[in-house]
Amino acid sequence: MNVGTKIITFAVVIIIALVLQVAFIFQDKKELPDLAASEFTKAYFMLDQSMTDRLCSSLASNEEVDLVDNYIFRKHQWAMQRGFDPSYVRSKVFNLHTEIVDLNETEAKVKITGKRYICINPVFAYIGKLFRLGETHLVNETLDVIKEEGHWKVCGAPFELAEEV
């Protein structure tokens, strides 16, 4: 094989890799119900206010009670009553798997499974997982996801968002 053929082969491989990379980037940006459920789950257990972005309008814009603020407040109160820092109730989710159980044009049911570890600070959850420190809590839930204004949003009664602690 001469040098010219090697260069052409190398160039073709690089071009194919670039085309595939662009295709994967666009595929990753596609709005899917399992992506919405996954993002909501991660924000929910980290007590991140951004979970509101993935809630359907009937839950997110309740005029009487802001469910997300109320949930975060209850979790912080629960921790403080027991003498813990509020960050003690945050969890990082690992090994998150999603499965679309039922899907049509505007509604879906997504089963979420995984494990969560306490995340007092960003490093703690990774160290706990690596050395098997702390308790592992299983995540196993089926979320109702609906399509609103072109975006998939979690609806229904996700986890214990509307329940009393």
Side-chain angles (χ1 to χ4, degrees):
M1 200 188 269
N2 66 21
V3 175
T5 307
K6 287 181 181 180
I7 291 174
I8 290 173
T9 304
F10 183 72
V12 168
V13 168
I14 295 296
I15 290 171
I16 290 172
L18 288 173
V19 168
L20 286 174
Q21 186 65 33
V22 170
F24 290 145
I25 288 171
F26 283 114
Q27 178 65 26
D28 191 41
K29 298 294 180 189
K30 190 175 178 183
E31 188 74 22
L32 298 170
D34 55 343
L35 176 65
S38 174
E39 287 179 1
F40 173 79
T41 301
K42 290 175 185 175
Y44 175 84
F45 286 113
M46 283 297 288
L47 300 181
D48 189 350
Q49 190 69 33
S50 69
M51 76 176 99
T52 306
D53 299 338
R54 285 299 187 172
L55 280 176
C56 64
S57 60
S58 63
L59 290 177
S61 63
N62 187 343
E63 293 178 11
E64 296 173 13
V65 177
D66 185 348
L67 286 178
V68 172
D69 283 340
N70 189 29
Y71 171 71
I72 293 172
F73 176 76
R74 287 184 287 128
K75 285 299 213 179
H76 284 192
Q77 287 297 108
W78 181 90
M80 290 170 45
Q81 287 171 353
R82 286 155 181 80
F84 298 121
D85 187 75
S87 66
Y88 182 78
V89 292
R90 295 183 331 163
S91 297
K92 179 86 173 151
V93 181
F94 291 95
N95 302 334
L96 190 65
H97 297 284
T98 59
E99 178 186 346
I100 299 175
V101 178
D102 187 26
L103 175 66
N104 63 36
E105 293 292 322
T106 59
E107 295 179 358
K109 286 193 181 296
V110 179
K111 181 176 172 109
I112 293 254
T113 56
K115 297 177 182 175
R116 61 185 178 91
Y117 296 88
I118 292 175
C119 185
I120 296 170
N121 65 44
V123 178
F124 185 84
Y126 292 103
I127 298 297
K129 180 181 183 294
L130 181 65
F131 294 108
R132 295 187 174 106
L133 300 173
E135 286 185 55
T136 302
H137 302 277
L138 297 178
V139 176
N140 187 4
E141 186 85 15
T142 301
L143 300 176
D144 295 324
V145 185
I146 63 170
K147 198 166 198 175
E148 280 185 352
E149 301 172 10
H151 299 287
W152 288 98
K153 308 275 182 144
V154 175
C155 213
F159 301 105
E160 59 182 47
L161 186 63
E163 297 175 8
E164 290 297 320
V165 175

